[in-house]
PDB file of all heavy atoms in Angstrom:
ATOM      1  N   ASP A 268       8.695 -24.034  -5.275  1.00 95.00           N
ATOM      2  CA  ASP A 268       7.408 -24.718  -5.452  1.00 95.00           C
ATOM      3  C   ASP A 268       6.246 -23.792  -5.130  1.00 95.00           C
ATOM      4  O   ASP A 268       5.227 -23.783  -5.814  1.00 95.00           O
ATOM      5  CB  ASP A 268       7.336 -25.951  -4.551  1.00 95.00           C
ATOM      6  CG  ASP A 268       8.328 -27.029  -4.963  1.00 95.00           C
ATOM      7  OD1 ASP A 268       8.594 -27.161  -6.173  1.00 95.00           O
ATOM      8  OD2 ASP A 268       8.842 -27.731  -4.074  1.00 95.00           O
ATOM      9  N   LEU A 269       6.417 -22.997  -4.089  1.00 96.00           N
ATOM     10  CA  LEU A 269       5.372 -22.040  -3.683  1.00 96.00           C
ATOM     11  C   LEU A 269       5.056 -21.072  -4.813  1.00 96.00           C
ATOM     12  O   LEU A 269       3.882 -20.838  -5.138  1.00 96.00           O
ATOM     13  CB  LEU A 269       5.861 -21.298  -2.440  1.00 96.00           C
ATOM     14  CG  LEU A 269       4.966 -20.280  -1.742  1.00 96.00           C
ATOM     15  CD1 LEU A 269       5.472 -20.054  -0.315  1.00 96.00           C
ATOM     16  CD2 LEU A 269       4.926 -18.944  -2.455  1.00 96.00           C
ATOM     17  N   LEU A 270       6.103 -20.501  -5.410  1.00 95.00           N
ATOM     18  CA  LEU A 270       5.907 -19.489  -6.462  1.00 95.00           C
ATOM     19  C   LEU A 270       5.450 -20.087  -7.786  1.00 95.00           C
ATOM     20  O   LEU A 270       4.948 -19.357  -8.641  1.00 95.00           O
ATOM     21  CB  LEU A 270       7.204 -18.701  -6.661  1.00 95.00           C
ATOM     22  CG  LEU A 270       7.672 -17.870  -5.462  1.00 95.00           C
ATOM     23  CD1 LEU A 270       9.046 -17.254  -5.730  1.00 95.00           C
ATOM     24  CD2 LEU A 270       6.651 -16.789  -5.114  1.00 95.00           C
ATOM     25  N   ALA A 271       5.610 -21.396  -7.942  1.00 92.00           N
ATOM     26  CA  ALA A 271       5.221 -22.048  -9.198  1.00 92.00           C
ATOM     27  C   ALA A 271       3.778 -22.539  -9.167  1.00 92.00           C
ATOM     28  O   ALA A 271       3.249 -22.923 -10.218  1.00 92.00           O
ATOM     29  CB  ALA A 271       6.159 -23.216  -9.501  1.00 92.00           C
ATOM     30  N   ARG A 272       3.132 -22.531  -8.003  1.00 94.00           N
ATOM     31  CA  ARG A 272       1.785 -23.100  -7.876  1.00 94.00           C
ATOM     32  C   ARG A 272       0.825 -22.063  -7.329  1.00 94.00           C
ATOM     33  O   ARG A 272       1.176 -21.237  -6.490  1.00 94.00           O
ATOM     34  CB  ARG A 272       1.824 -24.312  -6.952  1.00 94.00           C
ATOM     35  CG  ARG A 272       2.863 -25.347  -7.352  1.00 94.00           C
ATOM     36  CD  ARG A 272       2.926 -26.536  -6.402  1.00 94.00           C
ATOM     37  NE  ARG A 272       4.074 -27.394  -6.674  1.00 94.00           N
ATOM     38  CZ  ARG A 272       4.320 -28.555  -6.085  1.00 94.00           C
ATOM     39  NH1 ARG A 272       3.471 -29.009  -5.158  1.00 94.00           N
ATOM     40  NH2 ARG A 272       5.395 -29.256  -6.397  1.00 94.00           N
ATOM     41  N   SER A 273      -0.412 -22.119  -7.803  1.00 94.00           N
ATOM     42  CA  SER A 273      -1.431 -21.229  -7.275  1.00 94.00           C
ATOM     43  C   SER A 273      -1.723 -21.556  -5.806  1.00 94.00           C
ATOM     44  O   SER A 273      -1.800 -20.671  -4.952  1.00 94.00           O
ATOM     45  CB  SER A 273      -2.715 -21.328  -8.090  1.00 94.00           C
ATOM     46  OG  SER A 273      -3.178 -22.675  -8.137  1.00 94.00           O
ATOM     47  N   ILE A 274      -1.895 -22.840  -5.519  1.00 96.00           N
ATOM     48  CA  ILE A 274      -2.042 -23.314  -4.140  1.00 96.00           C
ATOM     49  C   ILE A 274      -0.944 -24.342  -3.880  1.00 96.00           C
ATOM     50  O   ILE A 274      -0.797 -25.285  -4.641  1.00 96.00           O
ATOM     51  CB  ILE A 274      -3.417 -23.969  -3.909  1.00 96.00           C
ATOM     52  CG1 ILE A 274      -4.546 -22.969  -4.160  1.00 96.00           C
ATOM     53  CG2 ILE A 274      -3.519 -24.512  -2.474  1.00 96.00           C
ATOM     54  CD1 ILE A 274      -5.938 -23.572  -3.997  1.00 96.00           C
ATOM     55  N   SER A 275      -0.167 -24.131  -2.833  1.00 97.00           N
ATOM     56  CA  SER A 275       0.862 -25.092  -2.468  1.00 97.00           C
ATOM     57  C   SER A 275       0.567 -25.612  -1.070  1.00 97.00           C
ATOM     58  O   SER A 275       0.294 -24.839  -0.145  1.00 97.00           O
ATOM     59  CB  SER A 275       2.264 -24.460  -2.521  1.00 97.00           C
ATOM     60  OG  SER A 275       2.339 -23.305  -1.696  1.00 97.00           O
ATOM     61  N   PHE A 276       0.578 -26.925  -0.948  1.00 98.00           N
ATOM     62  CA  PHE A 276       0.253 -27.591   0.321  1.00 98.00           C
ATOM     63  C   PHE A 276       1.559 -28.107   0.922  1.00 98.00           C
ATOM     64  O   PHE A 276       2.191 -29.012   0.370  1.00 98.00           O
ATOM     65  CB  PHE A 276      -0.720 -28.745   0.075  1.00 98.00           C
ATOM     66  CG  PHE A 276      -1.237 -29.385   1.326  1.00 98.00           C
ATOM     67  CD1 PHE A 276      -2.363 -28.902   1.963  1.00 98.00           C
ATOM     68  CD2 PHE A 276      -0.586 -30.492   1.881  1.00 98.00           C
ATOM     69  CE1 PHE A 276      -2.851 -29.505   3.126  1.00 98.00           C
ATOM     70  CE2 PHE A 276      -1.064 -31.099   3.029  1.00 98.00           C
ATOM     71  CZ  PHE A 276      -2.191 -30.604   3.657  1.00 98.00           C
ATOM     72  N   HIS A 277       1.972 -27.515   2.055  1.00 98.00           N
ATOM     73  CA  HIS A 277       3.219 -27.874   2.707  1.00 98.00           C
ATOM     74  C   HIS A 277       2.895 -28.722   3.933  1.00 98.00           C
ATOM     75  O   HIS A 277       2.368 -28.210   4.932  1.00 98.00           O
ATOM     76  CB  HIS A 277       3.981 -26.612   3.128  1.00 98.00           C
ATOM     77  CG  HIS A 277       4.284 -25.672   1.994  1.00 98.00           C
ATOM     78  ND1 HIS A 277       5.568 -25.356   1.593  1.00 98.00           N
ATOM     79  CD2 HIS A 277       3.457 -25.005   1.144  1.00 98.00           C
ATOM     80  CE1 HIS A 277       5.523 -24.519   0.568  1.00 98.00           C
ATOM     81  NE2 HIS A 277       4.250 -24.289   0.279  1.00 98.00           N
ATOM     82  N   PHE A 278       3.198 -30.006   3.837  1.00 97.00           N
ATOM     83  CA  PHE A 278       2.865 -30.935   4.920  1.00 97.00           C
ATOM     84  C   PHE A 278       4.049 -31.085   5.865  1.00 97.00           C
ATOM     85  O   PHE A 278       5.110 -31.567   5.495  1.00 97.00           O
ATOM     86  CB  PHE A 278       2.475 -32.299   4.359  1.00 97.00           C
ATOM     87  CG  PHE A 278       2.145 -33.298   5.433  1.00 97.00           C
ATOM     88  CD1 PHE A 278       1.117 -33.059   6.337  1.00 97.00           C
ATOM     89  CD2 PHE A 278       2.845 -34.485   5.518  1.00 97.00           C
ATOM     90  CE1 PHE A 278       0.810 -33.984   7.326  1.00 97.00           C
ATOM     91  CE2 PHE A 278       2.540 -35.423   6.501  1.00 97.00           C
ATOM     92  CZ  PHE A 278       1.528 -35.168   7.411  1.00 97.00           C
ATOM     93  N   LEU A 279       3.850 -30.637   7.128  1.00 97.00           N
ATOM     94  CA  LEU A 279       4.893 -30.725   8.145  1.00 97.00           C
ATOM     95  C   LEU A 279       4.717 -32.025   8.906  1.00 97.00           C
ATOM     96  O   LEU A 279       3.786 -32.159   9.725  1.00 97.00           O
ATOM     97  CB  LEU A 279       4.804 -29.519   9.105  1.00 97.00           C
ATOM     98  CG  LEU A 279       5.589 -28.278   8.675  1.00 97.00           C
ATOM     99  CD1 LEU A 279       5.063 -27.722   7.355  1.00 97.00           C
ATOM    100  CD2 LEU A 279       5.558 -27.208   9.767  1.00 97.00           C
ATOM    101  N   GLU A 280       5.599 -32.951   8.646  1.00 93.00           N
ATOM    102  CA  GLU A 280       5.489 -34.258   9.273  1.00 93.00           C
ATOM    103  C   GLU A 280       5.834 -34.218  10.759  1.00 93.00           C
ATOM    104  O   GLU A 280       5.483 -35.138  11.505  1.00 93.00           O
ATOM    105  CB  GLU A 280       6.410 -35.248   8.550  1.00 93.00           C
ATOM    106  CG  GLU A 280       6.063 -35.417   7.077  1.00 93.00           C
ATOM    107  CD  GLU A 280       7.064 -36.271   6.328  1.00 93.00           C
ATOM    108  OE1 GLU A 280       8.239 -35.859   6.219  1.00 93.00           O
ATOM    109  OE2 GLU A 280       6.672 -37.349   5.869  1.00 93.00           O
ATOM    110  N   HIS A 281       6.514 -33.138  11.198  1.00 93.00           N
ATOM    111  CA  HIS A 281       6.957 -33.058  12.585  1.00 93.00           C
ATOM    112  C   HIS A 281       6.108 -32.092  13.415  1.00 93.00           C
ATOM    113  O   HIS A 281       6.468 -31.794  14.555  1.00 93.00           O
ATOM    114  CB  HIS A 281       8.428 -32.615  12.639  1.00 93.00           C
ATOM    115  CG  HIS A 281       8.672 -31.241  12.075  1.00 93.00           C
ATOM    116  ND1 HIS A 281       8.357 -30.908  10.776  1.00 93.00           N
ATOM    117  CD2 HIS A 281       9.180 -30.107  12.647  1.00 93.00           C
ATOM    118  CE1 HIS A 281       8.681 -29.643  10.560  1.00 93.00           C
ATOM    119  NE2 HIS A 281       9.173 -29.143  11.680  1.00 93.00           N
ATOM    120  N   GLY A 282       4.987 -31.627  12.870  1.00 95.00           N
ATOM    121  CA  GLY A 282       4.168 -30.661  13.585  1.00 95.00           C
ATOM    122  C   GLY A 282       3.428 -31.276  14.774  1.00 95.00           C
ATOM    123  O   GLY A 282       2.884 -32.374  14.663  1.00 95.00           O
ATOM    124  N   VAL A 283       3.418 -30.552  15.898  1.00 95.00           N
ATOM    125  CA  VAL A 283       2.755 -31.013  17.113  1.00 95.00           C
ATOM    126  C   VAL A 283       1.869 -29.898  17.644  1.00 95.00           C
ATOM    127  O   VAL A 283       2.289 -28.722  17.656  1.00 95.00           O
ATOM    128  CB  VAL A 283       3.772 -31.451  18.197  1.00 95.00           C
ATOM    129  CG1 VAL A 283       3.064 -31.808  19.506  1.00 95.00           C
ATOM    130  CG2 VAL A 283       4.607 -32.618  17.699  1.00 95.00           C
ATOM    131  N   TYR A 284       0.671 -30.245  18.064  1.00 95.00           N
ATOM    132  CA  TYR A 284      -0.285 -29.258  18.597  1.00 95.00           C
ATOM    133  C   TYR A 284      -0.353 -29.353  20.105  1.00 95.00           C
ATOM    134  O   TYR A 284      -0.558 -30.430  20.662  1.00 95.00           O
ATOM    135  CB  TYR A 284      -1.669 -29.537  17.998  1.00 95.00           C
ATOM    136  CG  TYR A 284      -2.741 -28.569  18.438  1.00 95.00           C
ATOM    137  CD1 TYR A 284      -2.740 -27.244  18.022  1.00 95.00           C
ATOM    138  CD2 TYR A 284      -3.777 -28.991  19.269  1.00 95.00           C
ATOM    139  CE1 TYR A 284      -3.742 -26.363  18.401  1.00 95.00           C
ATOM    140  CE2 TYR A 284      -4.786 -28.128  19.667  1.00 95.00           C
ATOM    141  CZ  TYR A 284      -4.758 -26.809  19.232  1.00 95.00           C
ATOM    142  OH  TYR A 284      -5.748 -25.957  19.615  1.00 95.00           O
ATOM    143  N   GLY A 285      -0.153 -28.196  20.756  1.00 92.00           N
ATOM    144  CA  GLY A 285      -0.232 -28.149  22.205  1.00 92.00           C
ATOM    145  C   GLY A 285      -0.460 -26.743  22.676  1.00 92.00           C
ATOM    146  O   GLY A 285       0.142 -25.785  22.156  1.00 92.00           O
ATOM    147  N   ASN A 286      -1.315 -26.578  23.664  1.00 91.00           N
ATOM    148  CA  ASN A 286      -1.621 -25.272  24.219  1.00 91.00           C
ATOM    149  C   ASN A 286      -2.084 -24.304  23.141  1.00 91.00           C
ATOM    150  O   ASN A 286      -1.714 -23.135  23.107  1.00 91.00           O
ATOM    151  CB  ASN A 286      -0.384 -24.693  24.942  1.00 91.00           C
ATOM    152  CG  ASN A 286      -0.736 -23.532  25.850  1.00 91.00           C
ATOM    153  OD1 ASN A 286      -1.869 -23.428  26.317  1.00 91.00           O
ATOM    154  ND2 ASN A 286       0.210 -22.639  26.061  1.00 91.00           N
ATOM    155  N   ARG A 287      -2.884 -24.834  22.191  1.00 90.00           N
ATOM    156  CA  ARG A 287      -3.464 -24.067  21.069  1.00 90.00           C
ATOM    157  C   ARG A 287      -2.412 -23.514  20.120  1.00 90.00           C
ATOM    158  O   ARG A 287      -2.654 -22.546  19.419  1.00 90.00           O
ATOM    159  CB  ARG A 287      -4.353 -22.929  21.593  1.00 90.00           C
ATOM    160  CG  ARG A 287      -5.372 -23.354  22.625  1.00 90.00           C
ATOM    161  CD  ARG A 287      -6.365 -22.270  22.944  1.00 90.00           C
ATOM    162  NE  ARG A 287      -5.796 -20.940  23.052  1.00 90.00           N
ATOM    163  CZ  ARG A 287      -5.192 -20.479  24.144  1.00 90.00           C
ATOM    164  NH1 ARG A 287      -5.066 -21.248  25.208  1.00 90.00           N
ATOM    165  NH2 ARG A 287      -4.719 -19.271  24.171  1.00 90.00           N
ATOM    166  N   ARG A 288      -1.232 -24.119  20.102  1.00 94.00           N
ATOM    167  CA  ARG A 288      -0.130 -23.620  19.287  1.00 94.00           C
ATOM    168  C   ARG A 288       0.534 -24.764  18.517  1.00 94.00           C
ATOM    169  O   ARG A 288       0.441 -25.913  18.918  1.00 94.00           O
ATOM    170  CB  ARG A 288       0.928 -22.899  20.142  1.00 94.00           C
ATOM    171  CG  ARG A 288       0.372 -21.707  20.925  1.00 94.00           C
ATOM    172  CD  ARG A 288       1.345 -21.261  22.018  1.00 94.00           C
ATOM    173  NE  ARG A 288       0.759 -20.234  22.860  1.00 94.00           N
ATOM    174  CZ  ARG A 288       0.985 -18.925  22.707  1.00 94.00           C
ATOM    175  NH1 ARG A 288       1.798 -18.499  21.768  1.00 94.00           N
ATOM    176  NH2 ARG A 288       0.407 -18.061  23.516  1.00 94.00           N
ATOM    177  N   ASN A 289       1.219 -24.376  17.439  1.00 96.00           N
ATOM    178  CA  ASN A 289       2.020 -25.339  16.675  1.00 96.00           C
ATOM    179  C   ASN A 289       3.330 -24.659  16.339  1.00 96.00           C
ATOM    180  O   ASN A 289       3.413 -23.864  15.396  1.00 96.00           O
ATOM    181  CB  ASN A 289       1.263 -25.747  15.396  1.00 96.00           C
ATOM    182  CG  ASN A 289       1.939 -26.885  14.666  1.00 96.00           C
ATOM    183  OD1 ASN A 289       3.159 -26.930  14.546  1.00 96.00           O
ATOM    184  ND2 ASN A 289       1.149 -27.804  14.134  1.00 96.00           N
ATOM    185  N   LEU A 290       4.334 -24.913  17.150  1.00 97.00           N
ATOM    186  CA  LEU A 290       5.636 -24.252  17.022  1.00 97.00           C
ATOM    187  C   LEU A 290       6.283 -24.552  15.675  1.00 97.00           C
ATOM    188  O   LEU A 290       6.884 -23.682  15.043  1.00 97.00           O
ATOM    189  CB  LEU A 290       6.559 -24.674  18.165  1.00 97.00           C
ATOM    190  CG  LEU A 290       7.988 -24.123  18.120  1.00 97.00           C
ATOM    191  CD1 LEU A 290       7.971 -22.595  18.177  1.00 97.00           C
ATOM    192  CD2 LEU A 290       8.815 -24.700  19.270  1.00 97.00           C
ATOM    193  N   ALA A 291       6.172 -25.796  15.207  1.00 97.00           N
ATOM    194  CA  ALA A 291       6.811 -26.198  13.956  1.00 97.00           C
ATOM    195  C   ALA A 291       6.278 -25.359  12.784  1.00 97.00           C
ATOM    196  O   ALA A 291       7.043 -24.880  11.938  1.00 97.00           O
ATOM    197  CB  ALA A 291       6.584 -27.679  13.696  1.00 97.00           C
ATOM    198  N   GLU A 292       4.959 -25.176  12.727  1.00 97.00           N
ATOM    199  CA  GLU A 292       4.372 -24.375  11.650  1.00 97.00           C
ATOM    200  C   GLU A 292       4.799 -22.925  11.745  1.00 97.00           C
ATOM    201  O   GLU A 292       5.100 -22.271  10.730  1.00 97.00           O
ATOM    202  CB  GLU A 292       2.859 -24.490  11.671  1.00 97.00           C
ATOM    203  CG  GLU A 292       2.334 -25.857  11.239  1.00 97.00           C
ATOM    204  CD  GLU A 292       0.826 -25.885  11.105  1.00 97.00           C
ATOM    205  OE1 GLU A 292       0.196 -24.816  11.098  1.00 97.00           O
ATOM    206  OE2 GLU A 292       0.259 -27.002  11.005  1.00 97.00           O
ATOM    207  N   ALA A 293       4.843 -22.386  12.964  1.00 97.00           N
ATOM    208  CA  ALA A 293       5.245 -20.988  13.147  1.00 97.00           C
ATOM    209  C   ALA A 293       6.680 -20.762  12.671  1.00 97.00           C
ATOM    210  O   ALA A 293       6.977 -19.776  11.963  1.00 97.00           O
ATOM    211  CB  ALA A 293       5.105 -20.600  14.611  1.00 97.00           C
ATOM    212  N   GLU A 294       7.584 -21.658  13.041  1.00 97.00           N
ATOM    213  CA  GLU A 294       8.992 -21.506  12.627  1.00 97.00           C
ATOM    214  C   GLU A 294       9.158 -21.674  11.124  1.00 97.00           C
ATOM    215  O   GLU A 294       9.940 -20.953  10.488  1.00 97.00           O
ATOM    216  CB  GLU A 294       9.848 -22.502  13.384  1.00 97.00           C
ATOM    217  CG  GLU A 294       9.961 -22.191  14.876  1.00 97.00           C
ATOM    218  CD  GLU A 294      10.844 -23.184  15.617  1.00 97.00           C
ATOM    219  OE1 GLU A 294      11.046 -24.304  15.081  1.00 97.00           O
ATOM    220  OE2 GLU A 294      11.331 -22.851  16.720  1.00 97.00           O
ATOM    221  N   TYR A 295       8.418 -22.593  10.547  1.00 97.00           N
ATOM    222  CA  TYR A 295       8.503 -22.809   9.096  1.00 97.00           C
ATOM    223  C   TYR A 295       7.967 -21.572   8.353  1.00 97.00           C
ATOM    224  O   TYR A 295       8.562 -21.144   7.350  1.00 97.00           O
ATOM    225  CB  TYR A 295       7.700 -24.038   8.692  1.00 97.00           C
ATOM    226  CG  TYR A 295       7.730 -24.328   7.210  1.00 97.00           C
ATOM    227  CD1 TYR A 295       8.855 -24.881   6.604  1.00 97.00           C
ATOM    228  CD2 TYR A 295       6.625 -24.065   6.407  1.00 97.00           C
ATOM    229  CE1 TYR A 295       8.889 -25.147   5.247  1.00 97.00           C
ATOM    230  CE2 TYR A 295       6.628 -24.328   5.047  1.00 97.00           C
ATOM    231  CZ  TYR A 295       7.763 -24.871   4.463  1.00 97.00           C
ATOM    232  OH  TYR A 295       7.791 -25.114   3.110  1.00 97.00           O
ATOM    233  N   ILE A 296       6.904 -21.003   8.835  1.00 97.00           N
ATOM    234  CA  ILE A 296       6.350 -19.797   8.201  1.00 97.00           C
ATOM    235  C   ILE A 296       7.327 -18.639   8.298  1.00 97.00           C
ATOM    236  O   ILE A 296       7.518 -17.886   7.350  1.00 97.00           O
ATOM    237  CB  ILE A 296       4.989 -19.447   8.839  1.00 97.00           C
ATOM    238  CG1 ILE A 296       3.952 -20.473   8.410  1.00 97.00           C
ATOM    239  CG2 ILE A 296       4.548 -18.029   8.462  1.00 97.00           C
ATOM    240  CD1 ILE A 296       2.623 -20.348   9.127  1.00 97.00           C
ATOM    241  N   ALA A 297       7.980 -18.469   9.448  1.00 97.00           N
ATOM    242  CA  ALA A 297       8.962 -17.405   9.614  1.00 97.00           C
ATOM    243  C   ALA A 297      10.096 -17.558   8.612  1.00 97.00           C
ATOM    244  O   ALA A 297      10.536 -16.586   7.980  1.00 97.00           O
ATOM    245  CB  ALA A 297       9.494 -17.394  11.043  1.00 97.00           C
ATOM    246  N   GLN A 298      10.602 -18.788   8.455  1.00 97.00           N
ATOM    247  CA  GLN A 298      11.680 -19.041   7.489  1.00 97.00           C
ATOM    248  C   GLN A 298      11.196 -18.785   6.058  1.00 97.00           C
ATOM    249  O   GLN A 298      11.951 -18.266   5.221  1.00 97.00           O
ATOM    250  CB  GLN A 298      12.175 -20.474   7.634  1.00 97.00           C
ATOM    251  CG  GLN A 298      12.877 -20.789   8.936  1.00 97.00           C
ATOM    252  CD  GLN A 298      14.328 -20.283   8.975  1.00 97.00           C
ATOM    253  OE1 GLN A 298      14.815 -19.714   8.007  1.00 97.00           O
ATOM    254  NE2 GLN A 298      14.990 -20.486  10.104  1.00 97.00           N
ATOM    255  N   THR A 299       9.959 -19.131   5.773  1.00 97.00           N
ATOM    256  CA  THR A 299       9.391 -18.899   4.436  1.00 97.00           C
ATOM    257  C   THR A 299       9.322 -17.415   4.121  1.00 97.00           C
ATOM    258  O   THR A 299       9.656 -16.969   3.035  1.00 97.00           O
ATOM    259  CB  THR A 299       8.004 -19.529   4.328  1.00 97.00           C
ATOM    260  OG1 THR A 299       8.102 -20.949   4.548  1.00 97.00           O
ATOM    261  CG2 THR A 299       7.387 -19.281   2.957  1.00 97.00           C
ATOM    262  N   VAL A 300       8.878 -16.636   5.108  1.00 97.00           N
ATOM    263  CA  VAL A 300       8.796 -15.177   4.924  1.00 97.00           C
ATOM    264  C   VAL A 300      10.187 -14.605   4.677  1.00 97.00           C
ATOM    265  O   VAL A 300      10.366 -13.746   3.811  1.00 97.00           O
ATOM    266  CB  VAL A 300       8.144 -14.522   6.163  1.00 97.00           C
ATOM    267  CG1 VAL A 300       8.265 -13.009   6.093  1.00 97.00           C
ATOM    268  CG2 VAL A 300       6.680 -14.930   6.258  1.00 97.00           C
ATOM    269  N   ARG A 301      11.176 -15.067   5.422  1.00 97.00           N
ATOM    270  CA  ARG A 301      12.546 -14.572   5.213  1.00 97.00           C
ATOM    271  C   ARG A 301      13.020 -14.861   3.788  1.00 97.00           C
ATOM    272  O   ARG A 301      13.589 -13.985   3.124  1.00 97.00           O
ATOM    273  CB  ARG A 301      13.503 -15.198   6.224  1.00 97.00           C
ATOM    274  CG  ARG A 301      14.952 -14.722   5.993  1.00 97.00           C
ATOM    275  CD  ARG A 301      15.879 -15.086   7.109  1.00 97.00           C
ATOM    276  NE  ARG A 301      16.158 -16.517   7.193  1.00 97.00           N
ATOM    277  CZ  ARG A 301      17.105 -17.046   7.983  1.00 97.00           C
ATOM    278  NH1 ARG A 301      17.840 -16.254   8.759  1.00 97.00           N
ATOM    279  NH2 ARG A 301      17.284 -18.344   8.010  1.00 97.00           N
ATOM    280  N   GLU A 302      12.779 -16.065   3.308  1.00 96.00           N
ATOM    281  CA  GLU A 302      13.216 -16.423   1.958  1.00 96.00           C
ATOM    282  C   GLU A 302      12.478 -15.589   0.911  1.00 96.00           C
ATOM    283  O   GLU A 302      13.072 -15.122  -0.077  1.00 96.00           O
ATOM    284  CB  GLU A 302      12.982 -17.906   1.728  1.00 96.00           C
ATOM    285  CG  GLU A 302      13.411 -18.410   0.349  1.00 96.00           C
ATOM    286  CD  GLU A 302      14.913 -18.319   0.113  1.00 96.00           C
ATOM    287  OE1 GLU A 302      15.672 -18.218   1.111  1.00 96.00           O
ATOM    288  OE2 GLU A 302      15.319 -18.336  -1.060  1.00 96.00           O
ATOM    289  N   LEU A 303      11.184 -15.392   1.093  1.00 96.00           N
ATOM    290  CA  LEU A 303      10.410 -14.606   0.122  1.00 96.00           C
ATOM    291  C   LEU A 303      10.886 -13.157   0.083  1.00 96.00           C
ATOM    292  O   LEU A 303      11.028 -12.577  -0.993  1.00 96.00           O
ATOM    293  CB  LEU A 303       8.923 -14.660   0.492  1.00 96.00           C
ATOM    294  CG  LEU A 303       8.196 -15.972   0.196  1.00 96.00           C
ATOM    295  CD1 LEU A 303       6.835 -15.995   0.855  1.00 96.00           C
ATOM    296  CD2 LEU A 303       8.061 -16.185  -1.310  1.00 96.00           C
TER     297      LEU A 303
END
Side-chain angles (χ1 to χ4, degrees):
D268 293 326
L269 183 161
L270 296 174
R272 307 178 190 186
S273 56
I274 299 178
S275 56
F276 187 88
H277 302 242
F278 179 59
L279 272 63
E280 299 174 296
H281 63 301
V283 175
Y284 181 69
N286 195 26
R287 310 189 318 279
R288 300 166 187 262
N289 189 319
L290 177 61
E292 289 187 13
E294 291 181 339
Y295 180 75
I296 288 172
Q298 293 282 359
T299 300
V300 170
R301 178 169 70 170
E302 180 65 19
L303 286 168

